[in-house]
């Protein structure tokens, strides 16, 4: 009898995981899915570690409550702590102890933290609201007076120009009235007004938070914008840096007023239904030792990378070591601080490209997916950004997070669970560059509308974009604003509304067309820089030695936009009409624009979005009669916005009261040269 053979059952196959949503939506990412999953796993492990030792990510982000000079009610006095593991000694000095470096030494505790406690019984009358202080740090190279890492306020001596920390503990706390404000409701379709408080006044001086709240917020509200993005709030020693060489991450710049003044500004914005974003700089920091964090404990690094990697090759600044837990905690705490203390509604993260890659995007053309996921990717920075977006969204529901990235990293603005980094929007940095390139190098009659349309609409599906024709970058000295490129010298000589100068008429017309196309087709959000909505005539240049410390170009000439006899006012009228149309029709919430007609011969683009039909004629001289084109829906159409309206400096050529009726899905209408028409179906 033959023996039966025993068969060994095959090992069960591991269930095949479904691809990440990010990969499912973009199959070209399939080869890089292991990288995306490793990033997810690393984030999950870090969050688990944080929760194990700190309870939660929100509890972890409280370094500012431990470091620096903080009043302890329970102990009845001030506690000063600093993280300086390589330092030999620290002491607290200030006007409260006659700047005596021996009077109040700090004691070294665990993990490189130093501490001193100052009891009210001895110091209440000396260390109080308005007191100035520093930390004296002794290293093998000697001793230096330094500003505390997490100070809340820094003030500059007018004579010596020296910065010192200042105790800020007023008798009465600011009373917020914005408890019901919800950024997610106020700015579902963000129309962003990018602004600098200091240059927001017409006088030749530094403007204040209070003045901005009282004078500029009403303008922003009247203009239809629902978000204000504040630049240069984080304290920076050099005014002319535009706020991008930050020294004190937890301090609101004192040159614009007090912390209560900034809170007043934000509270007032919320009262008007306007969300407020902070232009946050975590991509680098000022290299100054006297005011900043560089070489704080004498180790050569601490908050920043050591050696060459710690220096940005193009920005002359220091680069954070995102892989160091203490630095990670410090920066996350900074995000929580601005959301909690000042009620900001989110952040525009500066210089994200520099953070994402060890080459910082310098001289690199991002032409393939290998550029995003290769050895040059800074995995520590990516982990930090994932933690940052997680924290912000968890701490403040509906907070708005915008990334300034020119590399186009896939997934940057998708949820982490899908394989993304967690931002809500990215800036469409290619659009303003393209407009400037056209104006610099290509005559109007040769503008390639196919390339233009591709630039406006070429964005990653499912990742929201903030479109803009120009921001502060295009307004800086050394370049020119769009209005200056367009008008050139006529911006000083032919701006009266009745002036028939053909060059100024061209500039006025194109300025309107550029903005309409950018807003209507460029993204899911829109941004303009302060004053550019009315074609501000000049660039931005802060007081410096090279301009004899002049404020001539560090201000906004509101009187030009307010004067109905000038073309500036006409541009402002058009901007308001365009923004209000976008709001009323929920244009930015709609699906991307659909191209209906691309006519290079007649220089016409026609497209649909949010049920509106946009007809743009760029031709320098040809007005088109009975111009026919196909539309999706039949019916009667009426003009809801014409750039040729007299209020906008136009010639009132189209009859805006006339209703156009389709015939076999086609419309026929009169389209004047250099004019944009927006049509809606008549109800």
């Amino acid at each position: 009898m033959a023996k039966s053979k025993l068969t060994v059952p095959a090992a069960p196959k591991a269930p095949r995981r479904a691809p990440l949503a990010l990969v499912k939506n973009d199959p070209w990412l399939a080869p890089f899915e292991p990288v995306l999953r490793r990033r997810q796993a690393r984030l999950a492990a870090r969050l688990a570690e944080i929760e194990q030792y700190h309870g939660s990510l929100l509890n972890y982000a409280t370094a500012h409550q431990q470091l620096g000079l903080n009043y302890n009610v329970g102990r009845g006095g001030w506690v000063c702590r600093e993280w300086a593991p390589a330092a030999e000694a620290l002491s607290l000095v200030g006007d409260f102890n006659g700047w005596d470096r021996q009077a109040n030494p700090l004691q070294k505790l665990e993990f490189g933290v130093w501490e001193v406690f100052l009891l009210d019984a001895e110091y209440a009358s000396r260390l109080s609201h308005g007191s100035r202080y520093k930390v004296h740090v002794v290293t093998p190279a000697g001793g230096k007076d330094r500003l505390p890492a997490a100070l809340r306020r820094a003030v500059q001596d007018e004579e010596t120009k020296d910065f010192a920390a200042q105790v800020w503990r007023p008798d009465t706390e600011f009373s917020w009235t914005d408890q019901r404000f919800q950024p997610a409701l106020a700015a579902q379709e963000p129309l962003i007004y990018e602004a600098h408080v200091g240059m927001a006044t017409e006088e030749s001086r530094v403007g204040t938070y209070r003045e901005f709240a009282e004078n500029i917020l009403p303008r922003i509200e009247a203009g239809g914008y629902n978000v204000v993005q504040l630049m240069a709030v984080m304290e920076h020693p050099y005014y002319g840096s535009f706020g991008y060489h930050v020294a004190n991450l937890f301090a609101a710049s004192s040159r614009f007023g007090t912390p209560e003044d900034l809170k007043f500004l934000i509270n007032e914005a919320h009262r008007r239904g306007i969300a407020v974003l902070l232009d946050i700089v975590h991509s680098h920091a000022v290299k100054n030792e006297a005011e900043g964090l560089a070489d704080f404990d004498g180790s050569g690094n601490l908050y920043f990378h050591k050696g060459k990697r710690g220096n940005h090759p193009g920005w002359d600044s220091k680069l954070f070591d995102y892989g160091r837990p203490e630095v990670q905690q410090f920066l996350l705490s900074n995000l929580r601080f601005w959301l909690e203390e000042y009620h900001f509604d989110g952040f525009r993260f500066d210089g994200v490209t520099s953070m994402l890659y060890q080459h910082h995007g310098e001289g690199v053309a991002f032409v393939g997916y290998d550029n995003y996921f290769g050895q040059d990717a800074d995995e520590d920075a990516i982990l930090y950004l994932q933690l940052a977006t997680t924290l912000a969204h968890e701490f403040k529901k509906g907070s708005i997070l915008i990334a300034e990235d020119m590399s186009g990293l896939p997934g940057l603005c998708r949820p982490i669970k899908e394989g993304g980094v967690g931002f809500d929007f990215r800036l469409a940095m290619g659009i303003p560059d393209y407009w400037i390139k056209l104006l610099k190098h290509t005559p109007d009659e040769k503008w390639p509308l196919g390339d233009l349309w591709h630039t406006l609409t070429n964005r990653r599906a499912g990742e929201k974009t903030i479109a803009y024709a120009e921001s502060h970058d295009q307004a800086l000295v050394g370049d020119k604003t769009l209005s200056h490129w367009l008008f050139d010298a006529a911006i000083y000589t032919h701006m009266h509304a009745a002036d028939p100068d053909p060059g100024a008429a061209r500039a006025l017309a194109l300025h309107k067309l550029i903005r309409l196309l950018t807003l209507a087709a460029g993204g899911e959000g829109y941004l303009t820089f302060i004053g550019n909505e009315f074609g501000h005539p000049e660039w931005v240049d802060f007081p410096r030695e090279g301009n004899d410390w002049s404020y001539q170009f560090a201000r906004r000439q509101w009187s030009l936009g307010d004067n109905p006899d000038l073309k500036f006012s006409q541009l402002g009228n058009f901007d308001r009409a365009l923004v209000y149309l976008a709001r009323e029709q929920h244009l930015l919430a709609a699906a991307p624009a659909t191209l209906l007609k691309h006519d290079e011969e007649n220089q016409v683009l026609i497209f649909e979005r949010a049920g509106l039909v946009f007809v743009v004629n760029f031709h320098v001289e040809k007005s088109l009669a009975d111009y026919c084109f196909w539309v999706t829906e039949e019916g009667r159409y009426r003009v809801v916005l014409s750039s040729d309206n007299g209020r906008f400096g136009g010639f009132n050529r189209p009859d805006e009261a006339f209703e156009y009726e389709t015939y076999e899905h086609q419309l026929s209408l009169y389209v004047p040269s250099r004019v944009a028409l927006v049509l809606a179906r008549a109800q």
Side-chain angles (χ1 to χ4, degrees):
M1 187 174 176
K3 293 181 179 179
S4 61
K5 291 183 179 179
L6 294 173
T7 57
V8 179
K13 291 184 178 180
R16 189 173 181 180
R17 286 192 294 185
L20 290 168
L22 194 63
V23 177
K24 193 173 181 180
N25 293 335
D26 183 358
W28 290 98
L29 283 169
F32 307 101
E33 185 166 6
V35 178
L36 297 172
R37 289 196 181 276
R38 282 198 299 272
R39 290 176 179 176
Q40 282 186 327
R42 191 180 182 204
L43 173 64
R46 182 64 181 131
L47 285 171
E49 185 179 29
I50 287 171
E51 289 169 9
Q52 179 183 355
Y53 292 104
H54 300 273
S56 69
L57 181 60
L58 296 185
N59 287 340
Y60 181 61
T62 54
H64 58 292
Q65 297 173 12
Q66 310 303 320
L67 297 178
L69 188 65
N70 291 288
Y71 188 78
N72 189 307
V73 176
R75 295 175 68 181
W78 292 92
V79 181
C80 178
R81 296 190 189 95
E82 286 295 332
W83 176 53
E88 294 182 348
L90 278 80
S91 60
L92 187 64
V93 298
D95 50 20
F96 70 96
N97 65 7
W99 300 93
D100 182 353
R101 293 166 182 164
Q102 311 302 319
N104 298 102
L106 278 68
Q107 303 301 313
K108 194 170 187 179
L109 309 177
E110 293 182 298
F111 311 114
V113 175
W114 300 72
E115 177 184 292
V116 65
F117 176 66
L118 286 76
L119 190 65
D120 276 348
E122 185 177 355
Y123 290 97
S125 61
R126 291 187 280 158
L127 187 58
S128 57
H129 179 65
S131 295
R132 300 192 181 199
Y133 65 97
K134 293 187 180 186
V135 174
H136 185 70
V137 182
V138 179
T139 72
K144 289 184 179 179
D145 291 342
R146 303 296 300 263
L147 297 186
L151 66 86
R152 308 293 179 85
R153 180 170 169 83
V155 291
Q156 188 175 27
D157 185 280
E158 284 297 320
E159 293 184 6
T160 66
K161 304 304 178 184
D162 182 47
F163 278 88
Q166 186 178 47
V167 172
W168 198 257
R169 194 166 178 252
D171 294 335
T172 305
E173 289 189 5
F174 183 81
S175 180
W176 293 95
T177 61
D178 64 347
Q179 289 78 11
R180 295 188 178 182
F181 181 80
Q182 298 181 52
L185 295 179
Q188 287 180 321
E189 302 160 48
L191 292 152
I192 303 172
Y193 197 84
E194 183 185 43
H196 185 289
V197 168
M199 58 175 286
T201 177
E202 189 152 356
E203 292 81 26
S204 294
R205 58 178 176 81
V206 178
T208 69
Y209 298 124
R210 287 269 174 177
E211 289 172 327
F212 191 94
E214 293 164 358
N215 302 327
I216 311 306
L217 285 179
R219 291 180 178 274
I220 296 171
E221 181 184 21
Y225 291 90
N226 54 23
V227 180
V228 59
Q229 178 181 301
L230 294 180
M231 306 174 62
V233 170
M234 303 168 80
E235 190 62 88
H236 46 291
Y238 179 45
Y239 186 47
S241 74
F242 227 141
Y244 288 114
H245 280 83
V246 171
N248 317 113
L249 279 77
F250 291 86
S253 181
S254 61
R255 57 172 57 88
F256 309 133
T258 68
E260 286 69 40
D261 292 338
L262 177 56
K263 292 174 182 178
F264 176 84
L265 187 165
I266 296 170
N267 194 65
E268 177 65 11
H270 289 169
R271 188 185 69 80
R272 294 177 177 274
I274 300 170
V276 188
L277 303 184
L278 175 65
D279 199 346
I280 201 156
V281 186
H282 282 182
S283 50
H284 66 129
V286 73
K287 68 179 183 180
N288 304 27
E289 291 187 13
E291 295 91 6
L293 298 170
D295 197 26
F296 190 83
D297 68 346
S299 62
N301 55 337
L302 197 63
Y303 289 95
F304 308 109
H305 285 292
K306 198 165 191 172
K308 184 178 179 182
R309 193 179 174 192
N311 300 312
H312 194 286
W315 296 348
D316 193 31
S317 54
K318 302 298 294 182
L319 294 169
F320 288 105
D321 182 355
Y322 304 105
R324 195 162 188 173
E326 295 89 346
V327 177
Q328 187 185 89
Q329 184 184 24
F330 182 78
L331 294 175
L332 290 171
S333 302
N334 190 235
L335 296 177
R336 171 173 176 159
F337 170 78
W338 290 108
L339 293 171
E340 185 172 32
E341 181 70 18
Y342 286 99
H343 292 204
F344 277 99
D345 300 302
F347 305 101
R348 179 265 201 190
F349 277 73
D350 172 69
V352 169
T353 306
S354 178
M355 300 172 72
L356 293 171
Y357 312 99
Q358 294 188 44
H359 53 59
H360 311 298
E362 297 269 308
V364 176
F366 291 89
V367 295
Y369 282 31
D370 287 338
N371 293 121
Y372 302 122
F373 303 104
Q375 294 182 346
D376 288 324
D378 191 328
E379 296 296 336
D380 290 338
I382 292 166
L383 173 62
Y384 166 67
L385 288 172
Q386 290 178 316
L387 287 166
T389 57
T390 301
L391 172 78
H393 284 141
E394 189 176 322
F395 186 83
K396 189 162 193 174
K397 305 301 180 187
S399 57
I400 303 164
L401 305 178
I402 302 171
E404 186 205 29
D405 170 48
M406 50 74 63
S407 75
L409 174 69
L412 184 65
C413 302
R414 292 304 302 168
I416 290 167
K417 65 181 180 182
E418 296 183 6
V421 181
F423 283 95
D424 302 306
F425 297 89
R426 66 176 0 124
L427 291 175
M429 300 181 71
I431 293 177
D433 290 345
Y434 188 80
W435 285 124
I436 293 291
K437 185 174 76 171
L438 275 183
L439 292 173
K440 281 184 178 181
H441 304 296
T442 309
D444 304 3
E445 61 270 19
K446 294 184 178 180
W447 280 12
L449 298 191
D451 287 350
L452 172 57
W453 181 254
H454 175 76
T455 300
L456 288 169
T457 59
N458 181 31
R459 52 189 182 272
R460 293 193 62 82
E463 299 199 37
K464 294 181 180 179
T465 296
I466 302 293
Y468 58 106
E470 55 184 336
S471 69
H472 71 274
D473 285 327
Q474 287 72 42
L476 287 169
V477 66
D479 205 335
K480 293 192 290 188
T481 62
L482 285 178
S483 64
H484 214 159
W485 277 112
L486 287 162
F487 285 97
D488 198 38
I491 208 162
Y492 301 110
T493 56
H494 293 289
M495 294 304 288
H496 195 279
D499 191 320
D501 180 72
R506 163 198 174 264
L508 190 73
L510 288 178
H511 197 275
K512 292 178 286 186
L513 266 56
I514 287 170
R515 275 164 164 67
L516 180 139
L517 267 173
T518 302
L519 190 156
E524 292 69 40
Y526 178 71
L527 177 146
T528 194
F529 179 64
I530 181 172
N532 285 359
E533 71 276 11
F534 64 84
H536 199 277
E538 293 165 337
W539 52 82
V540 176
D541 187 17
F542 288 93
R544 56 188 173 86
E545 189 175 2
N547 64 18
D548 200 24
W549 305 103
S550 170
Y551 284 89
Q552 172 64 27
F553 302 110
R555 61 195 183 101
R556 295 287 89 176
Q557 299 182 62
W558 303 109
S559 57
L560 298 177
D562 293 341
N563 189 337
D565 294 330
L566 298 179
K567 291 181 171 69
F568 296 109
S569 175
Q570 295 171 335
L571 289 174
N573 290 340
F574 179 76
D575 193 82
R576 278 188 294 277
L578 177 61
V579 168
Y580 273 102
L581 178 68
R583 289 182 64 150
E584 291 164 2
Q585 300 295 324
H586 298 290
L587 181 62
L588 296 173
T594 301
L595 185 63
L596 299 178
K597 191 162 186 174
H598 167 206
D599 182 352
E600 288 284 353
E601 180 181 352
N602 290 303
Q603 290 284 281
V604 174
L605 281 175
I606 303 176
F607 59 95
E608 280 184 333
R609 191 176 185 191
L612 300 174
V613 177
F614 297 82
V615 184
V616 185
N617 180 0
F618 274 105
H619 205 285
V620 299
E621 58 183 5
K622 188 189 293 185
S623 294
L624 304 167
D626 297 323
Y627 191 73
C628 294
F629 57 92
W630 184 87
V631 292
T632 306
E633 296 202 31
E634 291 193 306
R636 290 178 294 110
Y637 285 77
R638 60 185 178 85
V639 174
V640 292
L641 182 66
S642 168
S643 68
D644 202 42
N645 188 288
R647 291 191 305 117
F648 313 142
F651 301 99
N652 291 316
R653 285 170 286 180
D655 182 356
E656 295 182 41
F658 187 79
E659 287 193 352
Y660 303 87
E661 191 159 2
T662 56
Y663 177 71
E664 294 183 348
H665 274 282
Q666 289 203 21
L667 279 175
S668 176
L669 60 151
Y670 170 51
V671 189
S673 60
R674 286 191 178 131
V675 164
L677 300 175
V678 185
L679 296 96
R681 287 185 68 206
Q683 300 300 318

